[in-house]
Amino acid sequence: MAATAMSVSERPVIHRLPQHKYIDAVRWLPPLSTFDRFAVLAAFDTDSGSSSIEIHSLNPNPLSLQPHSSFSSSSRVSSLRASQFLQKTVVAASTAAGSLHILFSDSADATFESEVSMPEEEGLHSVPGSCVDLMDGGVECVTVGEDGRVNLVSIGNSNLSCDRLFDSGGLVSYTAAKWASPMEFATGGYGFSLQWWDKRKPGGPVSQFKANWDQKFTAGIVHSIDIHPSRKHTCLAGGSLGTVFAWDLRWQQQPIILSEAGVQSISESEVWEVQYDRCIKSSTTSTRILPAVICSEDGILAIIEQGEEPIELLAEPCAINGFDIDRHNPSDVICSLEWEAVAILTRR
Amino acid sequence: MSRVASDTVGNGALVPFSEDTKDSLAVYPLHHGLAPPISRIAISWARGNSLRVSLFAAPSSEHSRTPQDHSGGKVLEVKLGVGDPEISDSRWRQIAYGSVAPFALLQSRRSALSEMIKSSSPYQMDWWENVLEYSKDITSLLGGPKLPPGPIIEERTDIVKKREEPTCLKAAWELLEIFYADKQSQAWLPEKLVDWLADYDSLFSSTHETVYGKLARFQKELVNIQVLEDDPRYWEVMSSALSVGWLDIVVKMLRLHGSYQLDQLSNRELENGLVEAVAVLISKMPRLCHESTNGKLGELFKSKPDFIKAWEKWRSQITKLDCSPFWIQCDNHHTREGLRNLLQIMLGNTESLCMATCYWIELYISHFLYIRPFTTGIESMYNLAQKCIQLKPPSSNHKLTGLIVGILEENTEVVLAESSREFGPWMVAHAIELLTAGSEQAEIVLHDERYNLGGISMIELHRLVYAQVLSSHALTWQIAPIYLTSCMKQGMGLLENLLYRQSIQHNDLLLKNIEICRLYELDHISSDIMKVAGVYHWKHGHKGAGVYWLQRSKDTSRLNRIAQQLFDSVGKSISDESFKQWEGLIELLGSESKPAGGLEFLHKYRDFKRSLQQIYGGKSTDAARQAVGSLILLMKNPSTPQRFWLPLLYDSLKLFNWKECPLLNVSETNLLLNKLQELSWARLRPHFSEPNLPAEALSSIRLALATNLGRAILDE
């Protein structure tokens, strides 16, 4: 493991907040006012066997999370997204049972005030393991699953309407999805495969990426994708075996590997989530891949940058299952830790 | 484990029980909501401490059946036991998570040390420092930072400060630390115990009267008392607090004495002088202490000779005051008697101490403070404890007293048994580290491999038990491997069991499982798990995921077998539209070097199909040649299933009849003709399935190949 040493003054301030529930996913909510900050947590209480999606308010002194509003979900949340639409906050959650919940919260007080769901009986996805991404502006969702279905769900005030864009019939499974533009999105799956889709062209992906990975090397599963708004042609993906790579649509079949298991790697296990680091202002003219933050099964939260040593932000004795960078305060990162806790980092 | 219930279903009880067993019986009501009668019950273990109870309703007779009555049975989980009232389940899990890192660190240090011993002979004498560090880490986990010892008076009405609730678990751990891990404290054991009781006296209130309880009750009534010094409870509570050494409380309470009030000071001058003299003496009490404890009253001494000198001087001052003539002049009877009682306590009057303390541990502590401050050695401490138990026989047993007696008896087995009984498997598995640091004798007892335990040591046994507890919970099973791998004999076997037992349905869990295999280099297990996952996904129709996992586990034989199944659907649905769906799967198969078994056929088939598509688009001879290349490769390859031969050749008719030039040379054409011949023999065998092709397919292929052969011969 290689990581550049940080001086004490550069080290982030870390708060670990035990939740006494397993945290399946965590997101910052878009800010409602300059003073109040909120995060949304998908929690699973093993004692009662119940799942919930909870809004917590962030109290600054001492830093703590206060339960604010809660919605009980029928099954465990598999992925969680938050966005803003008009004056409302929209939270989208896909569950292990294959249902989809869209929660609206009033911007004034950040409590859940209405909800529309696509119950599992509607057959959005037939198997455990589905992933949702909410379009910026929050009017449309894409959900993908291991059953090989790619659905577009448009969000109305009182109902959801689902449109199946593609169904591979289980021949191909999808494990991650991310919008690139209002018309295009990317998905990822087994064997480090990535697909590029266009809403206007149903019937299959418009482009597929599948490099010939190293012979000795087993290709893994893509767990997370991010696409930077300023560089829509580049798809950043993180997955098994500490692998993080970028796929430039213009340079097809040539992955740019940012990290993989081996000498230079910061992690050798599953990279559960990857996001472009909005904290670092990189020159826009640079042709290099923008710096990104990753979290991993072996408890690492780190910044990786093409051609640079990774910078370790957090090293935990347990897995970091997910994280979110606050878009409006990019120095703040919230992480969900395997040991029933949430960690909040403030970078200086 | 199942039994048919007797016929007493009417009142909801399933099995009748007699009155005499009622005490040892725990009744768990089942809210099954089924209409009686219930015909059958099956009981089995579920995860952890839960029982799974399956209830089957008797098939109801026709006339009683209502439309809603369609449920024939119900499965319920019953959680046994009520859990720990002091520590909730989620708090226990936090403790379990937190103790992983200190435990792992200590184990790695131990193995590093044993490596060192192998190379150089002298035994590392300061191993206990590592254990102490470990112990401190665990302590910090069990509760917040340690506050200044003893309850403190802040306001007039605030004698006992409310602090974080102490727990018996933390008290027990600190006790073990004092006696076993902290070698530096050996000389100051009595003082350490005094501090310990100051922190945890309140815990004993649950079973009997304590000084803490008295103080807390008195504090509540304080606001209602007009003249404090006339209330006998004021003096009683102070003497109790003094007897267990809570000096600051006593001094603060003395200063509440009425004679300090400005309007009374002038006519109660003498009385006030006596109160103040006692208060000063109390605050000057010499204490033996090896570290400067802040906020503790008394004069602290670090060396014994200094302490002895100061102690004797202090005692003589008390005696002098006790014999002073001022007492006769003091006309307040309550003050006089109360203060003199305090002096008697400080002089170590056994009777006064016995009166002031509530139970034997407090009496024991008061002995250390005022009678035998120089007690050293566990044996003499044990004798003193025996004496105190005789003086104040315990009426009921608190969970901590058994532990204390076990420690003083120097009986490792009793200490272990008490820890296990009262505090559970977490405590034993972690406290054993302290016990082994305590003495060589304990280490031998704990490390000795025992025949009656199946050849494992006590240490291993308790770690295994704890690991089993961890394994039984969905959120803690992942830390069980840390404990299992520290068990030499049975650990790995149980770890394998644990890993095999985990569900493979959810990728997150599956990948965590594989990660554990990677950490402990259990490649054969992860390969097996991947196989199971592959077959699971395959069976559930996620063909891509199934193929992926089987490929990762390098299971060629299963890939071959599923290939045959896949081809069935390929053969039927390879029309150009649905081929899009297959593309992703074929991509997944990766390069040819990957183990794909029979599936590698799909690869070549895809290449062939692609080049054929190009031909239908334009009319390039190059593309056609490429297609022929693919076709020949396919036909040569032994993994190409026979039933594809005819459809492949039929698809290629256009190539054989190529206008510009013959695309196949003589040998290639012969190869295809031979295959055709082979096929016609195969048709004679039973179980040959006729491909779904036009009737004239075979003859048209034959004709085209013959034509091509002729042209090729001419060309050459």
Side-chain angles (χ1 to χ4, degrees), chain A residues 18 20 22 46-47 96 127-128 146 166-173 190-191 203-205 208 210 212 215 217-221 223 268-270 272 297 319 321 338-340, chain B residues 79 89-91 93-94 97 100 473 475 478-479 505-508 511-512 515 518 537 541-545 548-549 552 566 580-585 587-588 590-591 593-594:
Chain A
H20 307 293
Y22 194 86
T46 43
D47 297 336
V127 287
E146 294 213 17
F166 185 69
D167 189 347
S168 81
L171 287 172
V172 183
S173 294
Y190 288 88
Q208 284 205 59
K210 180 69 179 62
N212 267 335
Q215 305 274 315
F217 184 75
T218 332
I221 305 171
H223 296 308
E268 306 222 333
S269 58
E270 310 298 317
W272 289 120
E297 173 67 27
N321 287 332
E338 186 181 19
W339 288 348
E340 298 176 67
Chain B
K79 211 171 193 175
D89 286 357
S90 67
R91 180 81 187 96
R93 288 200 301 277
Q94 290 292 331
Y97 299 143
V100 168
H473 195 278
L475 298 187
Q478 287 167 66
I479 53 184
Q505 298 174 23
H506 295 275
N507 263 348
D508 292 3
L511 290 167
K512 279 177 196 288
E515 170 73 5
R518 188 181 70 87
H537 281 295
H542 321 138
K543 298 193 172 61
Y548 170 81
W549 286 116
R552 267 195 76 177
L566 256 186
K580 266 241 136 121
Q581 293 183 336
W582 286 91
E583 291 240 59
L585 178 68
E587 290 287 0
L588 184 67
S591 59
S593 62
K594 290 278 176 52

Side-chain angles (χ1 to χ4, degrees), chain A residues 27 81 223-224 271-275 293-295 321-323:
Chain A
R27 298 283 150 199
R81 296 286 187 275
H223 296 308
S224 171
V271 172
W272 289 120
E273 185 136 23
V274 57
Q275 276 187 27
V293 178
I294 61 149
C295 72
N321 287 332
F323 73 93

Side-chain angles (χ1 to χ4, degrees), chain B residues 215-228:
Chain B
L215 272 169
R217 265 203 315 281
F218 182 68
Q219 177 181 281
K220 271 189 210 146
E221 289 163 23
L222 201 56
V223 277
N224 303 324
I225 300 172
Q226 294 293 325
V227 186
L228 207 53

Side-chain angles (χ1 to χ4, degrees), chain B residues 103 460 463-468 470-471 477 479-499 520:
Chain B
F103 179 81
E460 179 156 350
R463 277 186 198 157
L464 290 176
V465 170
Y466 178 57
Q468 284 305 101
L470 291 175
S471 306
W477 73 269
I479 53 184
I482 304 212
Y483 293 90
L484 288 174
T485 47
S486 70
C487 297
M488 299 308 290
K489 296 239 159 157
Q490 303 286 337
M492 281 324 249
L494 284 170
L495 177 59
E496 291 190 11
N497 273 346
L498 172 67
L499 294 171
Y520 296 105

Side-chain angles (χ1 to χ4, degrees), chain A residues 102-117:
Chain A
I102 308 289
L103 307 165
F104 301 97
S105 128
D106 194 297
S107 293
D109 61 353
T111 52
F112 289 130
E113 54 176 21
S114 63
E115 181 256 342
V116 275
S117 288

Side-chain angles (χ1 to χ4, degrees), chain B residues 269-336:
Chain B
E269 205 171 345
L270 178 91
E271 192 184 347
N272 183 251
L274 285 169
V275 174
E276 184 58 23
V278 172
V280 169
L281 271 177
I282 289 172
S283 59
K284 286 268 156 75
M285 178 180 174
R287 303 286 292 265
L288 193 59
C289 196
H290 70 292
E291 57 195 16
S292 58
T293 4
N294 294 326
K296 199 159 127 181
L297 269 186
E299 305 241 299
L300 303 181
F301 291 93
K302 290 194 177 177
S303 81
K304 267 191 183 164
D306 290 349
F307 170 74
I308 292 169
K309 232 183 271 170
W311 173 260
E312 265 151 21
K313 198 177 147 207
W314 181 69
R315 289 283 287 240
S316 69
Q317 283 170 339
I318 298 170
T319 323
K320 219 166 104 190
L321 182 64
D322 197 35
C323 306
S324 140
F326 293 118
W327 294 110
I328 308 155
Q329 294 168 37
C330 178
D331 45 11
N332 188 322
H333 157 76
H334 286 291
T335 306
R336 193 174 63 229

